[in-house]
Amino acid sequence: MVHRRIMHPIFSPFWTFTNSAMDYFLFVLIGLLLFLTITLQTQARTITGYSPRLAWIRGGIYFTSGFILSILTGVLPALFSKPIATAEQVSNLYWWLFTFLCISVIYFAYFYLWVKGTSHTDANCTCRRFYSSACFGDLAKVKSSSLPGQ
């Protein structure tokens, strides 16, 4: 009797196309990553000093890379498929108190400490800079929390 050994590939496919919204989001992110990388390469040659535009392009590359990694490892789909809070947490008063405390600290830091610590030369510029920085910070937090091992 001849025994056949079934060979499994060493690198099994870690992602397959399932025609879901997450798959299309992944393709959009890959396209955006390519666009930002090409834009960075063409823009970086002409600017010699600090450029907020280049900083946002580099940030966009960082964010899209993180989200792509998050999708490919299955972390982002798992985040969307599970509830934010369990029934036990929702019924627990301490969970609500600590959640409220965390949200309060974040908003205090964003809307009081950050604004107070930012240099104020022009009110409109400071306001635009605040919203731009807040958007950048929010994207960084969402991306970092969706990476595996965080």
Side-chain angles (χ1 to χ4, degrees), residues 89-136:
Q89 290 171 328
V90 172
S91 64
N92 188 345
L93 178 63
Y94 289 116
W95 184 84
W96 281 106
L97 289 174
F98 286 120
T99 302
F100 180 73
L101 177 67
C102 289
I103 291 171
S104 300
V105 167
I106 290 169
Y107 277 100
F108 176 74
Y110 262 131
F111 295 108
Y112 181 73
L113 291 178
W114 199 347
V115 173
K116 189 175 180 178
T118 306
S119 61
H120 301 283
T121 54
D122 180 19
N124 290 334
C125 180
T126 302
C127 184
R128 282 193 309 257
R129 188 179 315 133
F130 169 74
Y131 289 117
S132 174
S133 297
C135 178
F136 193 87

Side-chain angles (χ1 to χ4, degrees), residues 35-63 132 136:
F35 171 76
L36 289 172
T37 304
I38 292 169
T39 304
L40 178 66
Q41 292 303 315
T42 58
Q43 297 281 323
R45 295 183 194 136
T46 59
I47 298 176
T48 57
Y50 173 75
S51 168
R53 179 179 167 85
L54 285 180
W56 272 100
I57 291 172
R58 289 184 186 108
I61 291 170
Y62 175 70
F63 298 140
S132 174
F136 193 87

Side-chain angles (χ1 to χ4, degrees), residues 5 14 19 22 27 54 66 85 97:
R5 186 173 176 188
F14 56 90
N19 203 17
M22 194 63 67
F27 289 133
L54 285 180
L97 289 174

Side-chain angles (χ1 to χ4, degrees), residues 2-72:
V2 177
H3 294 288
R4 289 196 164 184
R5 186 173 176 188
I6 298 174
M7 299 296 287
H8 295 286
I10 295 173
F11 298 105
S12 61
F14 56 90
W15 176 81
T16 56
F17 184 74
T18 58
N19 203 17
S20 67
M22 194 63 67
D23 293 335
Y24 292 110
F25 183 55
L26 175 65
F27 289 133
V28 168
L29 286 174
I30 291 171
L32 182 61
L33 179 65
L34 290 172
F35 171 76
L36 289 172
T37 304
I38 292 169
T39 304
L40 178 66
Q41 292 303 315
T42 58
Q43 297 281 323
R45 295 183 194 136
T46 59
I47 298 176
T48 57
Y50 173 75
S51 168
R53 179 179 167 85
L54 285 180
W56 272 100
I57 291 172
R58 289 184 186 108
I61 291 170
Y62 175 70
F63 298 140
T64 53
S65 300
F67 282 123
I68 289 170
L69 180 64
S70 176
I71 291 171
L72 292 178

